Amino acid sequence: MRVTIRTVLSDLMGNMERIDGTVDTLKPGNPDTEITGIITAFCATQYVVERAIAIGANLLITHEGVFYSHHETSEWLKSDPVYHAKLTLIERSEIAIFRYHDYWHRHTPDGIMVGLLRELEWSAYVDEQQPAATILTIPAMTVSEAAQYIKRKLGISYVRVAGDLSQTCRHVGIVVGYRGGGTMAIPLFNQHHLDLIIAGEGPEWETPEYVRDAVHQGRSKALIMLGHAESEAPGMKYLAEILAEKYPMLPTCFIAEQPIYQLV
Amino acid sequence: MRVTIRTVLSDLMGNMERIDGTVDTLKPGNPDTEITGIITAFCATQYVVERAIAIGANLLITHEGVFYSHHETSEWLKSDPVYHAKLTLIERSEIAIFRYHDYWHRHTPDGIMVGLLRELEWSAYVDEQQPAATILTIPAMTVSEAAQYIKRKLGISYVRVAGDLSQTCRHVGIVVGYRGGGTMAIPLFNQHHLDLIIAGEGPEWETPEYVRDAVHQGRSKALIMLGHAESEAPGMKYLAEILAEKYPMLPTCFIAEQPIYQLV
């Protein structure tokens, strides 16, 4: 059976309301192209693009952009050799790249969040799925134990923690990606009486400074920063599982990347 | 000799051109107050405010805001107990807080950068001081050696590194604070043929993803992320030294904070 990019994209967008100014575009790519294989990934890194080509997949679905910017404005990169080498590789390969960011987050519930909760095996502990956050009641454990558990489940080598490691946590909020910023994360602490927020990424002078002050005031608040990719890659892995089930005739897989930072 | 807050602030602003919409305000505080002591710090954390009060200093000069946001809009915090406890402490103490951010960066050269270069003992290696970046030629060393050197000089326990640790670096760019983002940092690599950029903080999907691709393409590019406070606190420590020299009659000191994150 012939499956075109248009068919898969129409599945991914479902019956969702159009999002104005969305970054979710097919670029490059022709919707009428017959799919030879699908790769999902957190980001279309040079390595991921090369792997997709080597595997023979011609549809790459990624969460973040190709050129180091959320809005993919590449004007400022026009004289950059790294940009040109990557662009040339993509153009010559005839691979199609679809960015699945806004619509995957806008799913009910957020597909990226579902993927993370599955990986953490915490889906059963969810109290409330909000559009941009999930509220859970987990079995009581210390912040240190929670960090160790998360590292083990996500297969990551470190997390960054603000707050007291020995504090017990039970009421937990999760925000993925760049939703770890102050206006997004801080109000959750009090609205839901949270002990712990688990986030992807956010400015260092916002939520962790709030947690620092809260702890200094004698309050039980902690923050575990996973890393942006660490918080969102599971959602793209989950997407590959969904697509593989829906299109068993197409080779479909998720490609993992190395952590973006090494610690020294 | 009686020194008022107005006198010190007028020194700090110098003859600099007014910056529209600056975050550098005295809040709270009355410029006519006689200074009993000056504290400088990266951020007016609850701990720093308490220490300043305990020491008997009534002018606190900090780089970042008091309430977890660059623009200090606290409307969204109005029902937050951590915010209220800190605000009450500040209001009852009669301490004045001056935020010295935009004007200190706008100094020629940037006072925050000067403080960092002094701490690194790299001032002699500067090729070019740009308004938002410094370009240096350092003695050749590997990225790993550079990371170890920086950790030792700044007294920090870890840095996050993107790129190949064994690569040699000599041409280095430094950007402090949140200037580690893509549009700010990436063009420096090619404009100045840099091997290494040392930055404070920036989005994870921007500069480190660029470095990842560059290295995968066989180019020698690396990034050392210091942390926001780690890159800017030396500039506030340096400020305390300047003020102590200028106002020897006033007790003046820099207060260091703990790192905002622990690694687990």
Side-chain angles (χ1 to χ4, degrees):
Chain A
M1 191 188 114
R2 190 173 177 272
V3 182
T4 63
I5 292 176
R6 190 187 306 281
T7 306
V8 171
L9 263 49
S10 136
D11 257 8
L12 295 181
M13 317 300 261
N15 301 316
M16 297 173 72
E17 206 177 316
R18 306 301 301 172
I19 300 171
D20 281 343
T22 182
V23 294
D24 294 9
T25 54
L26 181 71
K27 188 181 166 194
N30 178 344
D32 295 321
T33 304
E34 181 177 347
I35 299 176
T36 59
I38 303 174
I39 296 298
T40 74
F42 169 67
C43 185
T45 64
Q46 180 98 10
Y47 165 77
V48 164
V49 173
E50 288 177 7
R51 287 294 302 146
I53 295 168
I55 288 168
N58 66 350
L59 176 59
L60 175 52
I61 305 176
T62 72
H63 193 62
E64 296 302 339
V66 183
F67 294 115
Y68 331 116
S69 143
H70 180 66
H71 288 288
E72 294 283 17
T73 47
S74 45
E75 186 57 28
W76 57 282
L77 285 168
K78 67 177 191 286
S79 62
D80 187 282
V82 177
Y83 165 76
H84 280 287
K86 190 173 186 180
L87 186 63
T88 302
L89 170 75
I90 292 168
E91 285 176 347
R92 287 191 184 154
S93 70
E94 298 186 350
I95 197 163
I97 303 180
F98 178 64
R99 176 130 178 237
Y100 195 37
H101 182 279
D102 301 340
Y103 283 89
W104 200 206
H105 279 308
R106 204 66 80 82
H107 242 258
T108 313
D110 178 341
I112 291 288
M113 181 65 82
V114 172
L116 179 60
L117 291 170
R118 282 163 56 103
E119 207 88 356
L120 291 172
E121 296 189 44
W122 276 358
S123 306
Y125 301 140
V126 171
D127 293 328
E128 189 183 341
Q129 283 277 21
Q130 298 181 353
T134 297
I135 311 301
L136 308 92
T137 306
I138 63 168
M141 59 181 95
T142 65
V143 172
S144 175
E145 286 163 350
Q148 295 295 352
Y149 176 87
I150 290 165
K151 283 168 56 181
R152 200 165 61 245
K153 286 293 174 188
L154 301 184
I156 57 184
S157 62
Y158 73 93
V159 292
R160 297 187 297 166
V161 183
D164 177 0
L165 289 174
S166 66
Q167 170 209 310
T168 302
C169 52
R170 188 161 152 69
H171 301 288
V172 176
I174 304 183
V175 282
V176 296
Y178 204 70
R179 290 171 176 165
T183 51
M184 199 72 108
I186 295 173
L188 293 174
F189 273 119
N190 296 299
Q191 282 161 10
H192 302 280
H193 308 287
L194 302 181
D195 318 305
L196 171 66
I197 287 179
I198 299 165
E201 182 183 5
E204 291 176 16
W205 67 90
E206 295 186 359
T207 314
E209 288 290 358
Y210 173 88
V211 168
R212 188 209 292 271
D213 278 351
V215 170
H216 192 78
Q217 291 176 6
R219 300 172 208 270
S220 292
K221 309 276 174 211
L223 172 71
I224 296 180
M225 230 19 136
L226 300 178
H228 197 125
E230 287 72 9
S231 75
E232 297 200 307
M236 297 308 285
K237 185 177 162 198
Y238 170 53
L239 177 65
E241 291 168 26
I242 294 172
L243 292 174
E245 195 166 320
K246 182 136 198 180
Y247 302 98
M249 68 298 275
L250 295 177
T252 297
C253 77
F254 165 76
I255 297 182
E257 256 289 6
Q258 294 299 311
I260 190 70
Y261 288 119
Q262 303 167 71
L263 289 181
V264 176
Chain B
M1 192 189 116
R2 190 174 176 271
V3 182
T4 64
I5 292 175
R6 189 187 307 278
T7 306
V8 171
L9 263 48
S10 136
D11 257 8
L12 296 181
M13 318 300 262
N15 301 316
M16 297 173 72
E17 206 178 315
R18 306 302 300 172
I19 300 171
D20 281 343
T22 182
V23 294
D24 294 10
T25 55
L26 181 71
K27 186 181 167 195
N30 177 344
D32 296 322
T33 304
E34 180 176 349
I35 299 175
T36 58
I38 303 174
I39 297 298
T40 74
F42 170 67
C43 185
T45 63
Q46 180 98 13
Y47 165 77
V48 164
V49 173
E50 288 177 7
R51 287 294 302 147
I53 296 168
I55 288 168
N58 66 350
L59 176 60
L60 175 52
I61 305 175
T62 71
H63 193 62
E64 295 301 340
V66 184
F67 294 115
Y68 330 117
S69 142
H70 180 66
H71 288 289
E72 292 283 18
T73 48
S74 45
E75 187 56 28
W76 58 282
L77 285 167
K78 68 177 192 286
S79 63
D80 187 282
V82 176
Y83 165 76
H84 280 287
K86 191 173 186 182
L87 186 63
T88 302
L89 170 76
I90 291 169
E91 286 176 346
R92 287 191 185 155
S93 70
E94 297 187 351
I95 197 163
I97 303 180
F98 179 63
R99 177 130 179 238
Y100 195 37
H101 182 280
D102 301 340
Y103 283 89
W104 201 205
H105 278 309
R106 204 68 80 82
H107 242 258
T108 313
D110 178 341
I112 292 288
M113 181 66 80
V114 172
L116 179 60
L117 291 170
R118 282 163 57 103
E119 208 87 356
L120 291 172
E121 296 189 45
W122 277 358
S123 306
Y125 301 140
V126 172
D127 293 328
E128 188 184 341
Q129 283 277 20
Q130 298 180 354
T134 297
I135 310 302
L136 308 92
T137 306
I138 63 168
M141 58 181 95
T142 65
V143 172
S144 176
E145 286 164 350
Q148 295 295 352
Y149 176 87
I150 290 165
K151 282 167 58 181
R152 200 165 59 246
K153 286 292 175 189
L154 301 185
I156 57 185
S157 62
Y158 73 94
V159 292
R160 297 186 298 165
V161 183
D164 176 0
L165 290 173
S166 66
Q167 169 209 308
T168 301
C169 52
R170 187 161 151 72
H171 301 290
V172 176
I174 303 183
V175 281
V176 297
Y178 204 70
R179 291 172 175 164
T183 52
M184 200 71 112
I186 294 172
L188 293 175
F189 273 119
N190 296 299
Q191 283 161 10
H192 302 279
H193 309 287
L194 303 180
D195 319 304
L196 171 67
I197 286 179
I198 298 165
E201 182 184 6
E204 291 176 17
W205 67 91
E206 295 186 358
T207 314
E209 288 290 359
Y210 173 88
V211 168
R212 190 210 291 272
D213 278 352
V215 170
H216 192 77
Q217 290 176 6
R219 301 172 206 272
S220 291
K221 309 275 175 213
L223 172 70
I224 296 180
M225 233 13 138
L226 301 178
H228 197 126
E230 286 72 10
S231 75
E232 297 200 307
M236 297 309 285
K237 186 177 162 195
Y238 169 54
L239 177 65
E241 291 167 27
I242 294 173
L243 293 174
E245 194 166 319
K246 181 135 198 181
Y247 301 99
M249 69 298 275
L250 295 177
T252 297
C253 76
F254 166 76
I255 297 181
E257 257 289 3
Q258 294 298 311
I260 190 71
Y261 288 119
Q262 303 167 70
L263 290 181
V264 176

